[in-house]
Amino acid sequence: RAKNEGRGSYRFFEASMKAELNARRALEEDLRSALGAGEFAVHYQPIVNLKTMTVVSFEALIRWNHPERGEVVPAEFVPVAEETGLIVAIGEWVLRQACVDAASWPGPTRVSVNLSAVQFRTGQFAQTVFAALSASGLAPNRLELEITETVLLQDSEATLAILHQLRSFGIRTCMDDFGTGYSSLSYLRSFPFDKIKIDRSFVSEVNDREDCRAIVTSITDLGRSLNMVTTAEGVETRAQFDTINEIGCAEIQGFYFGHPVPAAEVEEAFTRIERLLSQAA
Ligand code: C2E
Ligand code: MG
Ligand code: MG
Ligand code: MG
């Protein structure tokens, strides 16, 4: 009997693996045609500087409106796009779109674009960035590039050379999701980032856990001594906002100020938040 049960669960396992593989193949296939079919959009989430009480930038976040499935979240399709190399074309599209959109935003407002390690390996990543800037007319100092440690993990000599080249042009660089990687600290030593983004996992529990508060405080202090701006990701409540402010972290991003919105709604979000901030001041 035990034997039969074992065989049954093996068959079940096999079937569910097959289903998973098929779903993954379907996603991959749909992803291949998505760019050409115009199924992607870029949404923008505001980032507020607490020292100046202004909206300093918007983070560009890709959205995929799948014809049958509706919105598919980046966590599901970005890894597939990376594995298949499709992220090179998709990432370039996001970059160009973000630069065009940001060129029409008020004053010095910046745009932050997320990058994948794969994009750095094409050998012409810097040229791609310069082309996006010149096509849009966006000043280099209004573009921020967000990278996670996976970007620095591979081929780090070549990657660092590209980052230095971009930085010498006035483009700003951010270390994203700081604190979640294996050796976040050593990356701060290898490259002079302009900004550190404290991962949401620490920020969301800043009022509930002493250790999270200690970590957020330490990263903020670290940023200050390294001359890097720190941004707290994922601030959702007034209580979190107050604590982050009290800790002295310079920038805040999260649902408390606003969810990511389509390009057409950026100006409205900007005006709404600036009004809110001037009332609070
Ligand atoms: P990320 O770069 O760390 O972006 C922040 C994520 O946190 C976004 O999720 C954003 O919607 C979400 N978020 C912001 N504030 C809050 C909050 O207060 N509460 C909660 N619960 N979440 C908040 P999203 O848009 O789903 O993107 C997830 C990840 O996908 C991004 O994390 C980034 O790593 C990746 N991604 C998004 N767009 C792109 C892209 O164009 N290129 C690449 N390579 N990766 C991208
Ligand atoms: Mg990011
Ligand atoms: Mg992040
Ligand atoms: Mg994150």
Side-chain angles (χ1 to χ4, degrees), residues 59 114 146 176 197:
E59 179 172 6
N114 292 286
E146 297 195 2
D176 204 354
K197 299 187 79 172

Side-chain angles (χ1 to χ4, degrees), residues 84-105:
T84 52
L86 290 165
I87 196 69
V88 173
I90 296 171
E92 180 173 350
W93 178 81
V94 171
L95 185 68
R96 286 182 167 272
Q97 193 62 50
C99 289
V100 167
D101 288 337
S104 72
W105 295 347

Side-chain angles (χ1 to χ4, degrees), residues 58-176:
F58 283 85
E59 179 172 6
L61 296 158
I62 192 168
R63 294 292 176 260
W64 181 15
N65 190 5
H66 189 282
E68 286 122 36
R69 297 178 55 196
E71 186 166 301
V72 184
V73 296
E76 192 181 343
F77 73 84
V78 168
V80 179
E82 287 174 337
E83 283 160 39
T84 52
L86 290 165
I87 196 69
V88 173
I90 296 171
E92 180 173 350
W93 178 81
V94 171
L95 185 68
R96 286 182 167 272
Q97 193 62 50
C99 289
V100 167
D101 288 337
S104 72
W105 295 347
T109 316
R110 298 193 183 95
V111 67
S112 291
V113 178
N114 292 286
L115 301 176
S116 292
V118 192
Q119 293 175 270
F120 279 82
R121 283 190 236 123
T122 58
Q124 25 201 342
F125 181 66
Q127 286 84 329
T128 303
V129 177
F130 300 147
L133 285 173
S134 73
S136 62
L138 188 74
N141 64 7
R142 290 181 59 197
L143 177 64
E144 290 180 333
L145 301 175
E146 297 195 2
I147 69 167
T148 56
E149 75 164 36
T150 52
V151 171
L152 293 170
L153 272 176
Q154 288 140 326
D155 220 352
S156 72
E157 284 303 306
T159 301
L160 288 176
I162 297 169
L163 284 173
H164 280 290
Q165 193 186 356
L166 292 167
R167 201 159 186 271
S168 71
F169 240 74
I171 295 161
R172 296 163 60 96
T173 52
C174 314
M175 172 109 262
D176 204 354

